[in-house]
Amino acid sequence: MGKIKVTKVKSAINRTQNQKRILESLGLRKMGQTVEHDDTPNILGMVNKVKHLVSVEESK
C-alpha cells in the first residue's frame, strides 16, 4: 500500500463547513502543514473533495 503526502496550500476561510471538517479530519490545521496518509479509497475521496485547497504528492 502506497503513501501520499498532503499539504494545505490555501485557506479554508469562506469555504463550506463540510470542506473545513474534511481538512480537520485529514489533520490539516495550518497553512503549509504536511501530513502523510495511506492511499486508501477513503483518504483519496476526502482529498478529492478539497483538491483545490491542498497539494498531493506520492511518497514511498
Side-chain angles (χ1 to χ4, degrees):
M1 180 171 287
K3 297 266 190 184
I4 58 170
K5 286 185 180 180
V6 184
T7 305
K8 185 174 177 182
V9 295
K10 287 193 177 179
S11 174
I13 295 174
N14 289 335
R15 303 298 176 185
T16 64
Q17 191 64 35
N18 188 37
Q19 291 175 355
K20 291 178 184 180
R21 287 184 183 145
I22 290 171
L23 288 172
E24 278 287 318
S25 65
L26 286 171
L28 296 170
R29 289 170 180 78
K30 296 182 177 182
M31 294 288 299
Q33 183 179 6
T34 302
V35 293
E36 190 169 322
H37 289 287
D38 293 328
D39 62 349
T40 62
N42 291 338
I43 297 296
L44 294 176
M46 287 194 287
V47 169
N48 192 38
K49 291 283 187 176
V50 292
K51 63 186 171 196
H52 55 286
L53 302 175
V54 299
S55 69
V56 181
E57 64 181 67
E58 294 190 26
S59 62
K60 296 181 180 179

